[in-house]
Amino acid sequence: MCGIIGYTGNRQAKEVILSGLKRLEYRGYDSAGIAIANGAMTLLKDKGGIDHLISILPEIRGKYGIGHTRWATHGPPIKNNSHPMLDCKGEIALVHNGIIENNVALREELMKRGHVFRSETDTEVAVHLLEEFFEGNLEDAMRKTVTRLEGSYALVAMHSKENGKIVGARNISPLVVGVGKRENFLASDVPAILEYTDRMIYLLDGEIVTLTKEQVKITDFEGKEIKRSWQKVEMSLEGAEKGGYDHFMLKEIFEQPRAIQDTIMGANLNAESGYTLGLRPETIKIIACGTSYHAGYVGKYMFEELAHIPTTVELASEYRFSSDTTSKPLVIGISQSGETTDTLSAIKTAQKRGLDTLGIVNIVGSTMTREADSIFYTRAGLEVGVAATKTYITQLIAMLSLAIKTGVATQSLGIDDARRLTNEMKKLPKNVRSVLDQSDKIFEIAQEIAGARSMFFLGRNINFPVALEGALKMKEISYIHAEGYPGGELKHGPLALVTDETPVVAIAVKDQTHGKMLGNIGEVSARGAMVIGIGTEGDRELEKYVDHVIYIPDVPPLFTPVLTSVVMQLLAYHVANILGCEIDKPRHLAKSVTVE
Ligand code: F6R
């Protein structure tokens, strides 16, 4: 969480920093700030997002500076807790992403030595340490400062007396250097600076970088110089623009056919290559958070059916505390950002246990791509909306592709069946388009449920995790309380909450669960609930049980989650839009969760 940026070069730093912060805003939007040095330090920060910052920003001239957009961890989102932070003399400015875990002890120690703290943040200790260690060289001061810090951090700092110099340090939280011509950049991620350069150096944990407009110098925390050349990134900025849609989320929902197609292409699913995978695990454990966890949960059914491999799914934040057992599963970590701290820590835990790890990641060059033993890339492109949509859909495609390959490797699936499934998969973009075509109809249903305070989402078997995801989408962007349940579980407690004021979305596609789902729908409609059914084209029976029905094309049961999920995304989107919610930036959330 939090987005940080630094610039040194010949342009006016303010312009570069503000445009970078706009692109980083998805990482946090509680407050924002900017500091520009020009002989003296000029700083402006406030509660609120980047647009607010721009509206109150006076003309500031200067060719090096830093900026920050915050997702609050320590201290509420008020002006004083916003970054950049200044030292006591107002000469050093610092921005931070991460959590300094020993901040309480350091604060006490620094206060005893006379430092005056102006915020409640964990970050401020770092700027006072820099002040204590500064003897004319900020890089040296940074090296001494990091020896005192525990926790996660990407730090970027500058000193008003060290003209044109920006210093960064990384431990766990991401930091990337953009290499320009007579200008250099530092940012939390690539899109923030892609407008200016596509030549990137990814900083690793335990490294310090010093930028001037002419030079990029990387050292380790001991001061040993590290030579690393830049890599050209192939990423388009198009993804960072709304392209005529009202919201990034809607644009990203409509980009799913393309994202699916690209991910299938990247999966290299063909008989000529023998569906090679190189993996024949005895068991699989999938670890992830949030929406990625739901994708993993869908994957469990795919691995079990196609490869007959027992598969468990665990929340990454919980896996770390589980006991090591005699089972030696292949651990699959799923993360669109590749930066989620809980998932990265779980991967490390698995590796310490001697387990093989495979990462399913969307962002090329992200931390997970370096930490997992092997990587499968989803090819969703840049996703800006905080609520994951196209990245989730491509995670489902990744699961399917890997399950098909593993099935062939374990001989649970013959090549002919693999080929048939692959051909079916290739029809998914078209099938998704036919769900997208029903957006207006889904909007009409959304109007009927927008007034609800609570909702239920039901599904069974492979569509149970889709119900969980449908509920998550609804609650995170519309703020309507929503719960996902397996259809059969309601009668064991939650049915007590079902009334004529709790709309129910029920996935009742034509598969082995169909009959049972109709029974579950009967149970909730008998309690007065309005039911929105999601069914398979041509299923006239379902219409008799529900108030509204949305049909998906008839596809093999294992593929239905891709289509039922799109219905849920559109429903959540329209409800949130009708309610006037901040769809792309839901309250309290951030796109990249780099705290534990
Ligand atoms: C919800 C959402 C989150 C993320 C979760 C994991 O729409 O996007 O639940 O799925 O924070 O993020 P990644 O996939 O980046 O590890």
Side-chain angles (χ1 to χ4, degrees), residues 256-269 295 298-299 302-303 360 376-380 390-405 422 424-429 432 558-559 561-563:
Q256 293 182 120
R258 198 268 313 138
I260 292 172
Q261 198 165 343
D262 289 354
T263 304
I264 295 175
M265 292 253 295
N268 203 16
L269 283 165
V298 173
M302 295 170 172
F303 281 112
I360 296 181
F376 181 106
Y377 281 108
T378 52
R379 298 184 182 212
K390 62 175 179 171
T391 54
Y392 159 78
I393 286 291
T394 55
Q395 288 166 350
L396 298 184
I397 299 299
M399 294 278 104
L400 256 176
S401 308
L402 288 169
I404 292 174
K405 288 187 180 214
T422 306
E424 284 292 338
M425 239 169 114
K426 289 182 181 159
K427 294 182 198 154
L428 279 173
V432 167
L558 276 184
F559 294 12
V562 175
L563 306 176

Side-chain angles (χ1 to χ4, degrees), residues 1 249 288-294 334-344 360 362-363 368 383 385-389 391-392 395 469 472-473 476-477 586 589-593:
M1 340 284 248
M249 183 181 176
C289 306
T291 291
S292 297
Y293 168 78
H294 296 151
I334 311 179
S335 174
Q336 88 77 21
S337 61
E339 301 293 352
T340 300
T341 305
D342 284 326
T343 312
L344 292 173
I360 296 181
N362 193 49
I363 300 291
M368 193 190 270
E383 187 175 71
V386 164
T389 51
T391 54
Y392 159 78
Q395 288 166 350
E469 174 60 9
L472 176 62
K473 283 290 93 91
E476 72 177 324
I477 62 167
L589 302 180
K591 185 92 189 141
S592 188
V593 186

Side-chain angles (χ1 to χ4, degrees), residues 162-283:
E162 282 208 277
N163 200 12
K165 190 194 270 189
I166 308 273
V167 179
R170 171 183 168 149
N171 185 44
I172 302 176
S173 305
L175 203 51
V176 59
V177 180
V179 181
K181 295 204 174 87
R182 306 208 66 217
E183 61 181 351
N184 288 306
F185 307 78
L186 262 176
S188 298
D189 65 24
V190 170
I193 48 181
L194 194 58
E195 186 181 344
Y196 304 100
T197 181
D198 57 3
R199 301 189 300 177
M200 305 289 165
I201 304 175
Y202 297 96
L203 217 61
L204 303 183
D205 287 348
E207 292 181 347
I208 289 177
V209 64
T210 304
L211 303 185
T212 60
K213 67 178 177 184
E214 306 286 359
Q215 206 199 11
V216 175
K217 178 184 160 204
I218 301 175
T219 59
D220 65 16
F221 281 1
E222 274 72 52
K224 193 163 140 263
E225 201 158 338
I226 295 163
K227 292 278 171 224
R228 184 173 311 132
S229 51
W230 51 263
Q231 314 170 18
K232 193 168 156 52
V233 295
E234 309 285 344
M235 194 189 274
S236 111
L237 258 188
E238 226 173 78
E241 314 293 342
K242 280 192 208 142
Y245 287 89
D246 287 343
H247 297 96
F248 281 111
M249 183 181 176
L250 190 61
K251 173 179 171 244
E252 288 157 3
I253 290 174
F254 275 82
E255 282 172 348
Q256 293 182 120
R258 198 268 313 138
I260 292 172
Q261 198 165 343
D262 289 354
T263 304
I264 295 175
M265 292 253 295
N268 203 16
L269 283 165
N270 55 61
E272 290 68 45
S273 71
Y275 290 93
T276 43
L277 182 65
L279 292 170
R280 296 175 63 167
E282 277 181 18
T283 57

